[in-house]
């Protein structure tokens, strides 16, 4: 199993997530959205020591050795970055803030899932993505250990794949198929089984992000299709990425979907469903 793919310097540093319809500036600071506490940076080191050159000087994964790497706290990119020789890892609560730090020269590179990375590249002409993949992984839905919902959601995932619903969602958000509508709840759908609460981090386009006040994206529509299939009304709760698993284990959320990848550490606390998407960890650098 699996895992689960784009303003202080006005105009120039805008990191809007327009591809997902977000109206929230990426450079707008949230509580704790600068380098998060618990960063693995060595004592006395600072991300400000990263090169401020605007020309690209990182061309491969091997070039990350000894560099300052921006990551989102708690992601697999964060985990992988810890193993880069002599690297300083700067942790952020949002990818938006990590990318802004890259643009400001406070970090040398950002490790990010491929599809969100493409959104940032599209919106920011001064950054680029390395051609070389950092890692390939699968995305899955996280549930509490031993949850009876795991088998039910796996049944729904299989049906949604088989009937073409997942393909329709990917056509809308990733494949760029003109006129693709994704998933729309069928008229007359009822929810006799109550509600299910999904924990997510809504700053991860195109998997989840804000469109006005609404959270939209691949995971949002996929979870809606699952809940409709099972007869539950979906409720989505936005939170810090590293709060998702605690929300599940404490019962505040029924499941988590946020481009989550299966890791041995996560499996200690939660179970995962079958995979529904393949993700790629990529590297963003300045041009």
């Amino acid at each position: 199993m699996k895992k689960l793919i784009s303003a202080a310097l006005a105009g120039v540093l805008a990191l809007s997530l327009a591809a997902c319809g977000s109206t929230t500036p990426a450079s707008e600071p949230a509580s704790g959205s600068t380098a998060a506490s618990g960063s693995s940076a060595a004592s006395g080191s600072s991300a400000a020591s990263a090169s401020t050159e605007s020309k690209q000087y990182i061309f491969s994964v091997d070039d990350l050795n000894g560099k300052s790497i921006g990551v989102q706290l708690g992601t697999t990119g964060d985990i992988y970055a810890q193993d880069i020789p002599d690297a300083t890892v700067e942790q952020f609560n949002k990818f938006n803030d990590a990318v802004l730090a890259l643009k400001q020269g406070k970090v040398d590179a950002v490790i990010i899932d491929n599809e969100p990375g493409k959104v940032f590249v599209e919106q920011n002409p001064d950054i680029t993505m390395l051609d070389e993949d950092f890692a390939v992984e699968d995305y899955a839905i996280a549930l509490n250990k031993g949850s009876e919902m795991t088998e039910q959601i796996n049944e729904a995932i299989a049906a949604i794949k088989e009937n073409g619903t997942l393909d329709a969602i990917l056509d809308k958000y990733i494949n760029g198929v003109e006129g693709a509508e994704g998933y729309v709840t069928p008229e007359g759908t009822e929810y006799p089984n109550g509600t299910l609460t999904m924990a997510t981090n809504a700053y991860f386009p195109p998997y989840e992000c804000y469109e006005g006040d609404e959270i939209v994206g691949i995971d949002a529509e996929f979870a809606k299709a699952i809940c409709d299939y099972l007869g539950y009304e979906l409720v989505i709760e936005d939170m810090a990425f590293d709060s998702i698993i605690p929300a599940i284990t404490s019962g505040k959320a029924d499941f988590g979907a946020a481009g989550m990848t299966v890791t041995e550490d996560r499996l200690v606390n939660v179970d995962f469903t079958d995979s529904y998407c393949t993700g790629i960890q990529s590297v963003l650098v300045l041009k």
Side-chain angles (χ1 to χ4, degrees):
M1 293 178 61
K2 329 338 173 214
K3 315 151 184 177
L4 253 208
I5 71 156
S6 321
L9 302 177
V12 176
L13 295 181
L15 290 172
S16 108
L17 302 181
C20 218
S22 172
T23 57
T24 304
S27 56
E28 178 180 321
S31 175
S33 63
T34 53
S37 62
S39 168
S40 62
S43 175
S45 69
S46 170
S49 64
S51 171
T52 58
E53 282 188 66
S54 61
K55 294 183 179 179
Q56 184 176 354
Y57 54 94
I58 295 175
F59 298 93
S60 72
V61 169
D62 288 342
D63 292 336
L64 295 174
N65 296 356
K67 300 298 193 299
S68 176
I69 312 298
V71 298
Q72 185 181 38
L73 179 66
T75 61
T76 49
D78 183 6
I79 296 169
Y80 297 147
Q82 311 297 330
D83 294 329
I84 298 174
D86 301 319
T88 298
V89 181
E90 297 294 337
Q91 298 167 312
F92 298 86
N93 286 334
K94 297 178 182 178
F95 274 127
N96 309 45
D97 300 314
V99 174
L100 182 60
L102 173 64
K103 290 166 66 69
Q104 293 175 331
K106 295 179 179 179
V107 297
D108 297 303
V110 171
I111 297 177
I112 187 172
D113 298 69
N114 182 263
E115 294 300 331
K118 289 178 181 178
V119 175
F120 285 112
V121 168
E122 180 180 355
Q123 295 300 317
N124 297 275
D126 52 343
I127 63 176
T128 189
M129 181 184 292
L130 296 187
D131 292 335
E132 181 182 359
D133 296 339
F134 191 87
V136 179
E137 53 196 18
D138 290 322
Y139 296 151
I141 292 172
L143 299 101
N144 214 348
K145 297 292 288 185
S147 172
E148 63 182 19
M149 291 299 303
T150 304
E151 184 176 350
Q152 296 178 46
I153 291 179
N154 277 336
E155 176 188 327
I157 289 173
I160 289 167
K161 286 180 176 180
E162 179 67 24
N163 66 23
T165 297
L166 178 57
D167 288 337
I169 295 171
L170 297 179
D171 283 346
K172 176 180 178 180
Y173 288 101
I174 291 182
N175 299 331
V177 176
E178 186 175 354
E181 295 184 354
Y183 175 74
V184 178
T185 297
E187 187 175 349
T189 299
E190 297 180 351
Y191 306 107
N193 297 322
T195 63
L196 287 179
T197 299
M198 163 182 150
T200 195
N201 177 250
Y203 296 88
F204 191 67
Y207 285 88
E208 41 269 320
C209 59
Y210 280 99
E211 187 170 83
D213 294 330
E214 182 183 5
I215 297 174
V216 301
I218 294 170
D219 285 336
E221 288 194 20
F222 188 61
K224 180 62 174 169
I226 288 172
C227 287
D228 286 354
Y229 179 90
L230 296 174
Y232 291 91
E233 186 171 6
L234 174 66
V235 175
I236 302 178
E237 294 289 342
D238 179 24
M239 60 189 68
F241 186 86
D242 63 337
S243 295
I244 293 175
I245 288 179
I248 296 168
T249 58
S250 68
K252 293 180 180 178
D254 296 296
F255 66 93
M260 295 189 73
T261 301
V262 179
T263 68
E264 293 300 322
D265 286 343
R266 291 173 183 167
L267 282 169
V268 172
N269 297 302
V270 295
D271 290 335
F272 282 91
T273 64
D274 296 334
S275 174
Y276 62 95
C277 277
T278 298
I280 297 172
Q281 291 290 322
S282 297
V283 179
L284 300 184
V285 297
L286 290 174
K287 283 186 177 179

